[in-house]
Amino acid sequence: MNISLNKKNIHKIDSSAEIIILNKTKNLEQNQEELLENINFYEKSFNTYFDIKNNILYVSCLKFKKENIKTAFCTAIRFFKNLKIENLKINITQAKKELELQTIVEGLVLGNYEFLKYKSSNEKEKIKNINICTKSSSKTKEELEIELKKAFIICNSVNFTKDIVNNSPQDYYPQIMADDALKIAEKHKNIECKIFGEDYLKQKGMNALYSVGIASPHESKLIHLTYKVKNPIAKIILVGKGVTYDTGGMSLKRGDGMVSMKCDKAGAASIMGVIQALGSLELPFEVHGILGAVENMIGGDAYKPGDILKAANSKTIEVTNTDAEGRLVLADCLVYAQKNIQDFDYIFDLATLTGASIGAFGGYTTAVMGYNEKTKKKILKASKKSGELVGFLPFNDYLEKLLESQVADFVNTSANKNGAAITASLFLSKFIKNKNKKKWLHFDIAGPSYRQENWAYHSYGATGVAIRLLIKFMEDLKK
């Protein structure tokens, strides 16, 4: 899909149809306004009416806020995909309000996404060109072109991440994730990539990560992506869970619980999307992406409940549940990051870690935990600007006691499942050095990373969660 800017009057732009977003304002001709009222067009948001005579699609958007506007444009793009219409036009001013280009582009590009790799009839998109009329804009042509380019970079990185997560597990395993990371580095001169295999994991005592993937025919990988610029204003570490498939190990998941477990690589995939976007956005930061790519399988050599694992920081872990594998992967990755990267300002980890976070916030919100209230406020601010929802869960000493073990330093999961999202985060905190506690936040993306439904402007499957959130966080730091 090509999106271009056009300074001509909207009526002089040649196209097959126009998209107009409405929110009950009386700015239409009387006969059109009466028609829309008579068909209850304004009864709820995202109703559509196509005026065949004038080739105009009207979309209702009762709350004229960014996220609703994105969903309205998504509704429109999905409507036209079912018709033989290739060229569309949109006025940047809708309901007498100038919209941000990023809002329009996110609604169109993210809403247009489909994962068709495994469909026998893999039809390409029918909509080829969209002209955005900027005649009424208060911004210069140069400002608008910069905004458009930035919006495309971010959306393409989100869709790149969706493809990674949506890929079937027989086609996407740790080596493929490593290959994709190398391709990102090859395309961008300001990005480097290092890949480490199982010999390195054993040599460095990363037994927690290594044990999770020991029963898989695919070798586990530790991936280190680095985005660098001259004179960075901050150094950020992003650590991602990249479990390319999760059976639950010997603590086997139920059959229906395994169907979508290709999504367990979403944390690592989102970090790859962030790094890829940074390669083109050139924000003034040094950003490290540390990804633990493993496959949690079953077999005669699989790690077991009752095993005692020694992590890279020499802490011992009693395995009580092999389906709590993500925290084992992250534990060694967090230790690696702190040993190998000096003088950093932030260390965040992203993981599809617990179903409990979904129970706490529903399936659309990322659960964020950590010790630094100021950093949480920055994340909340970025959340409101990006449209990606976050909620915060509090730590307490009573839940921390649930991690105590009689035979090791601590257990990887407690038999008491109350507050399981919090105890999982507290487990990870054991692998954060005291001097770095205030720099660390944990993002449990189990809910919003993958939905088995169309959700707003997200299609069925992966969503590329947290990319826009983290980019906005960095943009705010830049200011």
Side-chain angles (χ1 to χ4, degrees):
M1 178 195 296
N2 177 55
I3 300 178
S4 56
L5 306 179
N6 197 315
K7 274 287 186 182
K8 290 182 181 178
N9 187 293
I10 188 70
H11 302 297
K12 293 183 179 180
I13 297 175
D14 185 35
S15 72
S16 304
E18 180 181 358
I19 299 170
I20 294 179
I21 310 298
L22 295 173
N23 68 339
K24 282 194 173 180
T25 53
K26 302 287 183 180
N27 57 349
L28 296 176
E29 294 180 6
Q30 185 176 353
N31 61 334
Q32 281 285 35
E33 190 64 42
E34 289 177 355
L35 172 62
L36 294 178
E37 291 285 356
N38 290 336
I39 64 173
N40 294 320
F41 179 77
Y42 296 114
E43 186 177 354
K44 62 180 181 179
S45 284
F46 319 125
N47 280 335
T48 58
Y49 170 69
F50 189 43
D51 178 352
I52 299 176
K53 181 180 178 182
N54 297 302
N55 287 322
I56 296 174
L57 176 69
Y58 296 103
V59 184
S60 64
C61 185
L62 305 188
K63 293 181 180 178
F64 223 65
K65 297 180 179 179
K66 289 181 183 179
E67 291 305 290
N68 303 84
I69 293 167
K70 291 175 192 176
T71 303
F73 280 115
C74 167
T75 301
I77 210 73
R78 288 175 180 170
F79 177 90
F80 283 118
K81 286 179 79 168
N82 295 320
L83 304 176
K84 292 182 178 179
I85 290 179
E86 295 185 346
N87 302 294
L88 300 171
K89 62 183 177 181
I90 299 166
N91 198 330
I92 198 168
T93 299
Q94 298 285 329
K96 298 183 178 180
K97 177 182 178 181
E98 181 179 348
L99 305 182
E100 290 184 5
L101 267 178
Q102 187 154 343
T103 300
I104 298 173
V105 173
E106 285 186 8
L108 296 172
V109 177
L110 300 183
N112 187 53
Y113 176 87
E114 288 181 284
F115 186 71
L116 301 174
K117 178 178 178 179
Y118 298 105
K119 291 281 189 180
S120 56
S121 57
N122 188 343
E123 288 189 21
K124 294 183 179 180
E125 62 184 36
K126 297 172 183 174
I127 300 164
K128 293 182 179 178
N129 298 298
I130 299 178
N131 267 289
I132 299 178
C133 173
T134 59
K135 185 176 178 62
S136 60
S137 176
S138 60
K139 298 176 181 177
T140 66
K141 179 183 178 182
E142 290 73 21
E143 288 173 330
L144 291 168
E145 286 176 345
I146 290 170
E147 285 186 21
L148 181 63
K149 181 182 178 182
K150 172 190 161 187
F152 259 116
I153 289 169
I154 293 172
C155 288
N156 289 338
S157 290
V158 171
N159 286 343
F160 163 76
T161 295
K162 291 179 185 179
D163 282 346
I164 290 175
V165 178
N166 284 329
N167 254 291
S168 178
Q170 84 257 29
D171 293 331
Y172 208 95
Y173 40 88
Q175 182 61 56
I176 306 302
M177 180 168 281
D179 291 343
D180 277 348
L182 287 168
K183 288 175 186 176
I184 292 171
E186 288 170 3
K187 290 178 181 177
H188 298 90
K189 292 181 180 178
N190 49 10
I191 296 174
E192 299 173 356
C193 183
K194 297 177 182 178
I195 309 294
F196 303 101
E198 290 180 350
D199 287 343
Y200 178 89
L201 300 180
K202 289 185 282 187
Q203 178 189 345
K204 297 298 181 180
M206 300 177 74
N207 300 301
L209 191 161
Y210 172 74
S211 295
V212 173
I214 198 170
S216 171
H218 302 294
E219 183 181 14
S220 298
K221 302 290 182 181
L222 176 67
I223 302 166
H224 186 165
L225 281 162
T226 307
Y227 162 75
K228 285 186 177 181
V229 296
K230 290 183 179 179
N231 304 315
I233 61 176
K235 189 183 292 186
I236 301 168
I237 301 174
L238 303 175
V239 177
K241 172 186 174 183
V243 178
T244 58
Y245 189 71
D246 181 21
T247 64
M250 300 299 281
S251 304
L252 194 65
K253 292 179 184 289
R254 294 184 306 177
D256 57 349
M258 269 195 262
V259 174
S260 61
M261 279 300 102
K262 62 184 181 181
C263 78
D264 229 14
K265 56 184 178 287
S270 286
I271 291 171
M272 290 169 71
V274 170
I275 299 290
Q276 175 178 272
L278 288 172
S280 298
L281 293 173
E282 299 185 345
L283 292 177
F285 302 96
E286 181 177 320
V287 182
H288 295 262
I290 311 301
L291 317 177
V294 302
E295 191 177 50
N296 187 21
M297 302 296 283
I298 56 175
D301 53 353
Y303 81 121
K304 305 167 290 298
D307 283 354
I308 307 295
L309 308 179
K310 182 183 283 189
N313 63 349
S314 297
K315 296 291 184 182
T316 56
I317 307 161
E318 178 188 0
V319 177
T320 53
N321 188 331
T322 61
D323 195 23
E325 85 297 333
R327 64 200 70 182
L328 300 176
V329 172
L330 290 174
D332 274 341
C333 288
L334 288 167
V335 174
Y336 167 89
Q338 293 167 95
K339 282 183 177 179
N340 291 276
I341 304 163
Q342 304 302 316
D343 304 319
F344 57 87
D345 299 282
Y346 301 94
I347 179 166
F348 300 157
D349 70 76
L350 276 69
T352 48
L353 209 62
T354 68
S357 68
I358 302 174
F361 290 121
Y364 311 99
T365 301
T366 293
V368 181
M369 287 153 273
Y371 298 99
N372 193 320
E373 297 304 317
K374 287 184 179 179
T375 306
K376 288 180 188 177
K377 287 180 181 178
K378 291 177 183 177
I379 291 296
L380 180 60
K381 182 180 178 182
S383 165
K384 290 178 178 178
K385 289 181 179 179
S386 68
E388 298 207 80
L389 300 173
V390 299
F392 302 95
L393 293 172
F395 289 162
N396 64 71
D397 293 340
Y398 306 106
L399 285 174
E400 192 161 7
K401 291 179 180 178
L402 298 179
L403 295 172
E404 293 176 356
S405 169
Q406 299 300 312
V407 295
D409 291 327
F410 25 78
V411 295
N412 74 326
T413 184
S414 170
N416 185 337
K417 299 305 178 185
N418 294 326
I422 300 173
T423 54
S425 186
L426 286 168
F427 176 88
L428 295 176
S429 75
K430 306 294 185 184
F431 299 89
I432 302 293
K433 293 179 180 179
N434 288 332
K435 67 177 183 179
N436 296 327
K437 296 282 190 188
K438 292 284 188 178
K439 301 177 182 180
W440 168 71
L441 286 181
H442 163 61
F443 295 72
D444 192 332
I445 60 171
S449 64
Y450 190 92
R451 302 300 304 165
Q452 292 179 300
E453 65 196 52
N454 284 339
W455 157 35
Y457 46 89
H458 301 294
S459 303
Y460 177 103
T463 64
V465 69
I467 293 173
R468 292 173 297 145
L469 172 72
L470 292 172
I471 294 294
K472 183 56 67 178
F473 169 79
M474 293 181 208
E475 288 177 341
D476 286 347
L477 285 181
K478 179 184 174 183
K479 295 176 183 176

